[in-house]
Amino acid sequence: MKSLTELIEKIKSEFDYETSRSSGKGGQHVNKTESRVTLVWNFMASNEIGQEDKQLIQLKCKSYVSGDVIRISTEENRSQVKNKKLSIYKLKKILEDSLKK
């Protein structure tokens, strides 16, 4: 398998992002901006990972997988851009753990 960093770079174009308002503290800022980011990746449609890896993801990432899609929500930052980067980082960590053989 390719290195995980290379894989992430190749599959970035397959990601969709959904934005929504964050919950919790932040005063009026929370009520005005859509800073929560949800990374959505249809890994089953990806040509960059093999069938065996797809099965590992389905098996080991059940809390993130819904059908053929991985969904990772991030709302730690007030910035959409930072939350996008953090969601990609989270996906990398999830794949790192799930694709260990």
Side-chain angles (χ1 to χ4, degrees):
M1 190 183 123
K2 309 167 185 109
S3 84
L4 213 44
T5 305
E6 289 174 15
L7 178 63
I8 294 291
E9 284 304 313
K10 287 190 175 194
I11 63 176
K12 269 186 184 178
S13 63
E14 299 175 355
F15 299 162
D16 288 317
Y17 297 96
E18 298 170 354
T19 59
S20 58
R21 292 186 178 151
S22 290
S23 59
K25 295 181 181 180
Q28 290 300 310
H29 182 81
V30 170
N31 299 327
K32 292 185 212 164
T33 61
E34 295 196 349
S35 56
R36 177 191 296 143
V37 174
T38 302
L39 182 151
V40 182
W41 177 42
N42 185 341
F43 67 96
M44 292 302 276
S46 178
N47 293 322
E48 297 298 330
I49 58 172
Q51 197 60 38
E52 186 179 327
D53 289 340
K54 290 176 184 178
Q55 289 173 344
L56 281 172
I57 291 169
Q58 277 187 316
L59 188 66
K60 294 183 177 182
C61 301
K62 288 182 181 173
S63 60
Y64 297 100
V65 173
S66 173
D68 293 350
V69 172
I70 286 183
R71 300 177 75 81
I72 300 169
S73 290
T74 307
E75 59 181 312
E76 280 85 350
N77 297 289
R78 287 186 177 189
S79 162
Q80 236 184 51
V81 173
K82 287 180 182 176
N83 283 332
K84 242 184 211 187
K85 288 179 182 176
L86 190 55
S87 63
I88 292 171
Y89 175 78
K90 285 181 178 181
L91 176 65
K92 185 177 177 182
K93 287 293 176 196
I94 291 164
L95 291 179
E96 209 170 73
D97 293 342
S98 66
L99 298 180
K100 284 180 186 170
K101 295 185 174 127

